Amino acid sequence: MSKKEKASKVEDLSSRRFQQMADENRELKVYVADVMQRLRQNERLFSRMFDLESQVLKSTDPEDLCFTLLRGLRSSFELDFVRFWLDRSSFIGGHKLGSLSERDLVWVEKDEIREMGISRKQAWLIQLSPEHAFDWLGSQDQHLGSIALLTLGDLDRPFGVLGVGSIDRDRFAPDQSSDFLQHLAQVVGLTLEHAVAREHLARLSVTDTLTGSQNRRFLQPHSHHPLSQWFGNVTQVSCLYADVDQFKGLSERLGEEVGDNVLNMVSKALHKHVRSSDPLIRMGGDEFVLLLPGCGEEKARDIAALTIQAIAESGVVEGEQITASVGVAFSSANRDLAVKELIALADQAMYVAKALGGNRFEVADSGEDSGH
């Protein structure tokens, strides 16, 4: 091979090497650009996630938290579908979450999440088609192209599933990374568990452990405020103040356990003819306050009479007839008393009923003999 041919061959090899390096450089630039784009996308995603987490942490209860998550996920992440499936038998099953529609929340039965196989991992990415559907979706969800299913709670004992979806079939394709979605599943699961625990502790702090009614601590934030601030400007409020007749002597003679049983019976009698949302407060000892927003005078009198009757008809406890004295007071929109003022009026009427022999109710400021 001549020198000229050798030089030509070297030049050709160098040219091809430079071309190869140029190609590799272009590929590297494309790769770096793609990585940088993904980093910027992830940065935006986590920035939105941080903002959403901040909003979630401000939520006051599980219902508010779920609503915040649903609204935030739809708006911040441009999702066409967001829905909770929650296990009715789990710790969250005791929360009605009434502000969430069927579009937002579906209750599932015990072990249904496990039977669907969803609890095997934290996040599932599914492309949807007529041949590959998801059983929990309805006819109103046929527009979806892909969904991600996020398992909430411990995989051994999941309490729910969060579904997020898009009309884009590639948005949650199985080959996509699920790191962000797994993080989202953990955040949502933990915040919901903590919200339920906080609400439970808050409820315990204002609940009478013996009777299940509210206690004085429940009343304290409202006590000095006008009734309209609690129940609304145009709402008439009635109040019953109940006290068990001769309770101290009965408890001393028959023992604390019998006394506790009597208090539980009286609490149930007070609840019997009213709405579950009407505040019943054990003021201490054997005294109870029942607040009845939107209840007129005639209806309040009927409830007082029925309560007296229910307590008396509860029977004899170890030879002792159980009775109670009840005071009734009213406040209307044109007489907007403070909460504590209305309670004080009913308390005074209760003492009148007790002085007249008990087992009866009296109405405050009636101006006439209204004993029954």
Side-chain angles (χ1 to χ4, degrees):
M1 182 181 294
S2 66
K3 289 183 178 181
K4 186 176 181 181
E5 288 175 331
K6 287 181 179 180
S8 176
K9 187 173 182 180
V10 169
E11 184 178 349
D12 184 54
L13 288 170
S14 297
S15 177
R16 279 187 289 173
R17 178 59 181 157
F18 279 126
Q19 183 63 45
Q20 183 181 3
M21 291 176 64
D23 291 341
E24 290 175 351
N25 189 43
R26 279 194 299 273
E27 290 175 2
L28 181 61
K29 285 181 178 179
V30 171
Y31 173 75
V32 169
D34 182 59
V35 169
M36 292 303 295
Q37 183 180 8
R38 288 177 179 272
L39 285 173
R40 284 191 291 269
Q41 287 175 340
N42 287 337
E43 185 179 1
R44 287 194 294 270
L45 281 174
F46 278 99
S47 175
R48 293 176 202 163
M49 189 64 212
F50 178 78
D51 291 340
L52 182 58
E53 287 180 29
S54 299
Q55 295 175 37
V56 162
L57 290 173
K58 296 176 185 175
S59 300
T60 56
D61 54 61
E63 186 172 55
D64 181 49
L65 190 152
C66 287
F67 186 79
T68 300
L69 279 168
L70 289 162
R71 180 182 57 194
L73 287 170
R74 285 193 185 101
S75 61
S76 298
F77 299 96
E78 300 173 356
L79 294 165
D80 302 303
F81 171 91
V82 184
R83 182 175 297 157
F84 283 104
W85 290 277
L86 298 179
D87 186 342
R88 196 188 303 277
S89 68
S90 71
F91 67 89
I92 204 168
H95 298 268
K96 295 182 180 178
L97 307 179
S99 69
L100 305 184
S101 69
E102 292 182 1
R103 181 177 70 105
D104 300 325
L105 168 64
V106 175
W107 291 102
V108 298
E109 301 306 321
K110 184 179 181 180
D111 293 330
E112 200 170 341
I113 295 172
R114 191 174 290 106
E115 288 168 2
M116 288 288 289
I118 300 173
S119 62
R120 292 202 303 271
K121 60 183 181 179
Q122 200 88 56
W124 296 83
L125 306 181
I126 303 173
Q127 284 182 309
L128 299 169
S129 67
E131 298 76 28
H132 192 191
F134 178 57
D135 289 347
W136 284 356
L137 295 177
S139 57
Q140 72 276 19
D141 307 314
Q142 296 303 311
H143 64 294
L144 295 175
S146 61
I147 60 169
L149 302 174
L150 314 182
T151 308
L152 305 180
D154 193 309
L155 292 181
D156 292 330
R157 295 183 63 187
F159 67 86
V161 174
L162 174 61
V164 295
S166 171
I167 59 175
D168 182 0
R169 292 194 77 245
D170 295 325
R171 176 77 180 269
F172 299 113
D175 59 350
Q176 300 287 338
S177 171
S178 64
D179 291 348
F180 173 77
L181 293 170
Q182 291 180 51
H183 171 76
L184 177 60
Q186 292 169 347
V187 168
V188 172
L190 286 172
T191 50
L192 267 173
E193 288 178 355
H194 290 163
V196 170
R198 283 198 308 270
E199 187 184 58
H200 180 65
L201 288 174
R203 191 165 58 247
L204 283 178
S205 73
V206 295
T207 300
D208 176 52
T209 55
L210 175 62
T211 64
S213 60
Q214 273 85 41
N215 59 25
R216 274 184 175 272
R217 195 177 290 112
F218 168 83
L219 191 60
Q220 284 172 353
H222 308 284
S223 181
H224 290 78
H225 296 155
L227 288 157
S228 60
Q229 186 170 325
W230 190 356
F231 298 114
N233 290 324
V234 295
T235 301
Q236 181 175 15
V237 182
S238 298
C239 176
L240 274 61
Y241 200 115
D243 180 282
V244 181
D245 295 329
Q246 308 299 324
F247 179 76
K248 183 178 180 182
L250 181 146
S251 187
E252 288 175 351
R253 289 191 301 275
L254 302 181
E256 186 177 336
E257 184 177 350
V258 172
D260 288 349
N261 291 338
V262 169
L263 293 175
N264 271 311
M265 179 270 292
V266 171
S267 175
K268 289 176 183 176
L270 284 161
H271 261 139
K272 187 174 182 179
H273 301 287
V274 300
R275 298 160 296 193
S276 60
S277 59
D278 291 330
L280 174 64
I281 304 120
R282 184 183 174 197
M283 301 297 284
D286 60 320
E287 298 181 5
F288 294 85
V289 163
L290 178 62
L291 294 169
L292 302 169
C295 180
E297 296 185 17
E298 184 178 352
K299 180 65 174 175
R301 291 170 186 264
D302 290 342
I303 291 172
L306 289 168
T307 299
I308 293 288
Q309 182 181 352
I311 293 172
E313 289 179 351
S314 63
V316 177
V317 177
E318 299 195 17
E320 303 266 0
Q321 175 67 56
I322 308 302
T323 62
S325 299
V326 175
V328 185
F330 313 106
S331 180
S332 58
N334 58 6
R335 191 184 179 213
D336 192 15
L337 300 173
V339 174
K340 67 173 186 176
E341 291 175 330
L342 181 65
I343 292 173
L345 288 172
D347 186 21
Q348 293 167 14
M350 180 272 295
Y351 276 107
V352 173
K354 193 171 287 292
L356 292 173
N359 194 26
R360 61 188 287 137
F361 74 88
E362 287 289 321
V363 178
D365 297 329
S366 62
E368 61 182 9
D369 183 7
S370 54
H372 299 264

